[in-house]
Amino acid sequence: MADSAGSGAGAAQAALDAVQRYPREAIAIAQRALAGGPAVGDDERSTAERAIGLALRELNDLPGALHHLRRAVRLAGTPRARALARMSLGYVLANAGHTAAALRAVTAALPQLSGADAGRAWMQRGVVLHYRGRYPEALRDYGLAIDIAQREGDLLLEARARNNRGLLNAGRDAAGGADDDLARAAVAFHRLGLDLAAADSRWNGGIAAGRRGDIAAALRCFAAVDEEYRRLAVSRPALLLDRFELLLSVPLVDEAVEVAAAAVRELRRRGMASDLAEALLARARAALLAGDLDTATRTAAEARARFRRQGRRTWAAFARHVGLRAEYRRGIRSTPLLTAMTRTADQLDATGWPGPALTTRIEAGLLAAALGRPGRARELLAMASQARRRGTADRRAQGWYALALSRRLVGDDPGAARALRRGLAVLDRHRTSLGAMELRAHSGAYGQELAAEGLDIGVRAGAPAQVLAWAERWRATALRTRPALPPDDPDLVAALAELRLVSGLIEDEALAGRSTRALRGRQARLERRIQDMARRAPGGGSVVTPPGVAALAARLGSQVLVELVAHGDRLRAVLVRDGRTSLHDLGALADAVDLARRHRFALRRLITTGDDAAARAGAAHAAATLDRQLFDPLRRRLADRALVIVPVGALHAVPWSALPTCAGRAVTVAASATVWLGADQREPPAGPPVLAAGPRLPAAHTEVRRLAQVLPAARLLTGPETTAAALTAALDGAGLVHIAAHGAFRADNPQFSTLELADGPLFAYEWERIDRPPGCVVLSACDSGLTGVRPGDEIMGFTAVLLALGARCLIATVLPVPAEPTTELMLDLHQRMRAGARPAQALAEAQRAYVVAGDGPARATAAAFVCFGAG
C-alpha cells in the first residue's frame, strides 16, 4: 500500500516529491534543506523531516521513519502542516503494527484538511483500516479518495488510492475490479515517472493473478517486477509473503516453508512488526501443511498474540484458525474444540477470509460427526458446500467435498460419489492451467481428500471396479497431459547451460580439495531461477479420462493388472484378470513400506560391499516377507502370467524382480493403469537406435561398442560427442535409446536429477523440451529409475519426464549399480529385444540368466533394473 504526499516549499517539497522515485536522493535533498539554518521555516522543516521519514519507510527502516515523522509533527508551524505530518505518521505506525495509534493520528488530521489534502487523508485512513482488517470501511475510504482525486485532477492521489483498493480487492477475490484498479494505477504511475510505484502496482497485479488461480501469469509477473526492483536497487522483503502465498496455492509446501522462514528472519531483523506478524502466520500455515504440528501451534500462537497487540482482530482470527486445525490434526476431539472452530469460521467469514473459513468449517463438521452430533455436522457441511458455486478451483472442490460428506452422513453414497466426481472435475480443469509438469505434480494434494472419500465408498461397498476407478481418478494425472514448456525458451536453455558449467566446476574444485561454498551458492540461485522460468509455462491440454475395466482388459490380454491403493492405514490391491476384477486386503501399509525400505537397504549393501552373508540373508528375508504380504492373497489368480503393477507411495522404488513371485516373470511398473494403457496403445517411432556413453566410465564405452555389434544401424555417441545438446537431439524420434553413464537422483527436486555427460550433467528438466519422444529408453545408470512421489502418487524425475512426453517404456535402475557387471546383462537384454521379445519379457529372461550365473551382488545388480511404462 502507498502513502500520500503533501505540499511544502522549496527543497523540502522537492525531497517529498522524490520519495517514491528516488528514496535515497530524497533523504539527501531533505538533509540539505534542514541544513539551511534559521532561514528555513517551521513548515519547511516539518516537510523535510516528513520526506526523510517516508523515504526511510521505502527503504524498510521503520524505527528511523517513525523518529523523523514524530519530529515532523513537533516542528509543524501551521495546522495544515501538522495534519499532513500526522497523516504520514499514521501510515508508518500502521506498518509498524501500531494500528490503533495510526487510526487516531490519521483521523485527527482529517478536520484540518481540504481538497486534495483531504483526499490523501481519506486514502491514508483506508490504509490503516485495511491493516486492521476492517475491509468494507477501507473500501469506502479508498473510494472517497478516488472521487476527490478525480474532482481535483490529482493523478498521483488517484493512482495510489486505486493501487490500494486493487490490492484489497485482490485479497477478497474481487478479481475483475482488482485488475482494473491495478492496471490503471500502474499506467498513471508510469506517466508520472514513478517507476518504483509502477513496479509495486504491477507486483500487486501478480498477487491478483495468483488469487484467481493463474499461477503461471503470477510467476511471469513477479519475475518481471523482480528485475525492475533490482534495476531500482530497492529491497522489498515483505513481498516474500506474496511469493509464499503463490507457493502455497500450488501447493509447493517445502519451498513455502523455506520462504516463510526467510521472511520471518528478514522482517524480524528490520523491525517491520506488522509484516512480521503476517510472516509468523505464514510459517504456521506452511508447517501445518508439512505436518509439523509443533511449529504450527507455536508460531500461530505467537502470530495471534502480535495481531491482538496490534489491534488486528481479523488477522488474529486467521492465526487462531491455524492453531485450531493443528489441534484437530493431533487427534483432539472435544466439544470445546468444536465450539472454537465454529466461532472462528464465522469470524473469518464475516471479515473476508472465505478460504480459511471453509477449511475450518469442514473440519468442524467432521469433528461434530465424530462427537456423535450428526445434525450439527450436516448443518456445518451444508454451509461449507455453498463454496462449490464460486471462488477459486480449490475452494469450489472443497465445497463439493463438503456436499459429499453431508450426503454420506445420511447414507446417500451414490449422491456423495457424484459430488466427489464434480469436485475432481473442477481440479482437473485447474490442473490444465498449470503448464509445468512440476506444478501439475504438486497440485495433486488438492484432490487427495476427495479421491480418498470415493475410494472409501468403493471399499465399503466391496466393489473392486469402483475402487479401481477412484484410484485412477486422482493417480498420476500429471502424466496424462504433456508439459507445456516452450521448446525454444532461450533464457531457460542458457540457464541450464550455465548450471551445467557450474556443476562441473563444483566437482573440479571438490576433487582439488578447494572450497566450493561460493559455487554452491551460485548453483542454488541458478536452480531457483530455472524452476521459476519452467513454472511460467502456459497451461493447455486436457486430462485423459480413466478407462473402464473392459478397455483395460482388452489391452491386457493374458497379463494381470495389480493396482495397489492406500485405504487409510491399510494397503489394498485391485486385480484385473481376463476382464474380471477382485479386491484384496494386503495388510498394514506401514509394514509394506518398512519391508520395502529394509529390502532396498540390504540390496544396496550387497551391491556396494560384495557378497556379505548378513546382507544376503537380510535381503532374502525382507524379500520373502514382503512377497508374502503383497502376493499371497493374490497368488491363485496370478498363476504364471505377466504382471502390470501400479505401486503406491514408497513402493515405487521396489526392485520387483528380487521378490520371489516376480523373479523370471515379465513385470511392468506403471504410474497408473491409465498411463499404462496410453503408453501401450502408442506406436513407437521408427528412428534409428541411439547408443551413448558418459565420461569417467570406461565400462560404459565398452558396453555401447559391444551393443553397436548387436544394433549395427545405431548412432553411437561416445567421448566428447556425448554432450547434453547432442544426446537430447538424438533422442528426438529414436525408436530405441541406450545410455550408459553416471546418474544421480535428487530427492529434494527430482527434476534436477542428472546423467553425467561429456560437457557436464544433463538434467531431467531438459528432456521436457523433446518434440518426438523415443520409443524405448534403457538407462544403465545409478538410480535412474528412482522417482520423487508427491500426493496423488504423482511421480517426478527422468521416468516421469519420459513417460509424460510419450515414451512407450523405460528400463532403468532403482538402486546404484556398478558399471562393469551390467554389460553382459545389457547385451543379453538387447539381443532378446532384437529377436522380438517385448522389453519386460526380455528383461525378465536376461535377469534370470544373469542370476543363475552370478553371486549375491550380481543378483542384486540384476534386480536393480525395472521396466516402467508399457513393457
Side-chain angles (χ1 to χ4, degrees), residues 238-406:
L239 300 188
L240 285 170
L241 297 175
D242 300 325
R243 192 177 295 279
F244 165 84
E245 292 292 346
L246 195 63
L247 292 170
L248 209 62
S249 72
V250 174
L252 293 162
V253 177
D254 291 343
E255 283 184 65
V257 168
E258 292 176 10
V259 169
V264 169
R265 288 193 301 271
E266 184 64 14
L267 295 168
R268 197 187 296 276
R269 184 179 71 82
R270 293 176 181 269
M272 300 175 71
S274 182
D275 291 322
L276 174 59
E278 294 177 33
L280 287 165
L281 175 58
R283 189 175 181 189
R285 292 165 63 201
L288 182 67
L289 276 184
D292 182 357
L293 300 182
D294 289 340
T295 299
T297 300
R298 184 179 66 255
T299 51
E302 185 180 351
R304 186 181 181 215
R306 285 177 174 271
F307 287 133
R308 293 177 75 172
R309 286 198 300 272
Q310 295 169 11
R312 301 169 70 185
R313 291 187 177 85
T314 300
W315 286 87
F318 196 169
R320 176 68 166 148
H321 140 88
V322 177
L324 293 172
R325 290 192 66 201
E327 288 186 45
Y328 179 77
R329 295 287 178 89
R330 288 181 193 278
I332 295 173
R333 301 291 183 265
S334 67
T335 299
L337 179 59
L338 174 60
T339 302
M341 292 180 81
T342 305
R343 183 186 300 121
T344 301
D346 290 341
Q347 289 173 343
L348 291 167
D349 247 345
T351 51
W353 294 103
L358 173 61
T359 308
T360 303
R361 196 164 278 126
I362 289 174
E363 291 185 348
L366 291 169
L367 175 56
L371 293 172
R373 299 176 60 183
R376 182 61 173 144
R378 288 195 300 273
E379 179 185 332
L380 289 164
L381 292 170
M383 292 176 66
S385 71
Q386 299 304 309
R388 71 189 188 276
R389 305 187 187 282
R390 61 188 295 273
T392 57
D394 62 304
R395 289 219 296 275
R396 283 183 284 130
Q398 280 189 300
W400 286 110
Y401 175 57
L403 182 62
L405 293 173
S406 67

Side-chain angles (χ1 to χ4, degrees), residues 26 50 83 87 103 107 111 163 220 308 311 314 316 362 405 436 478 486 489 518 573 641 673 680 690 740 819 846 863:
R50 185 169 159 233
M87 182 178 67
L103 189 58
T107 303
N163 175 72
R220 288 193 294 271
R308 293 177 75 172
T314 300
I362 289 174
L405 293 173
D489 184 342
R641 299 193 184 197
D680 197 65
V690 175

Side-chain angles (χ1 to χ4, degrees), residues 186-207:
V187 169
F189 284 133
H190 183 72
R191 282 178 55 193
L192 293 166
L194 297 173
D195 292 346
L196 179 57
D200 287 342
S201 287
R202 289 199 300 275
W203 181 277
N204 292 341
I207 296 173

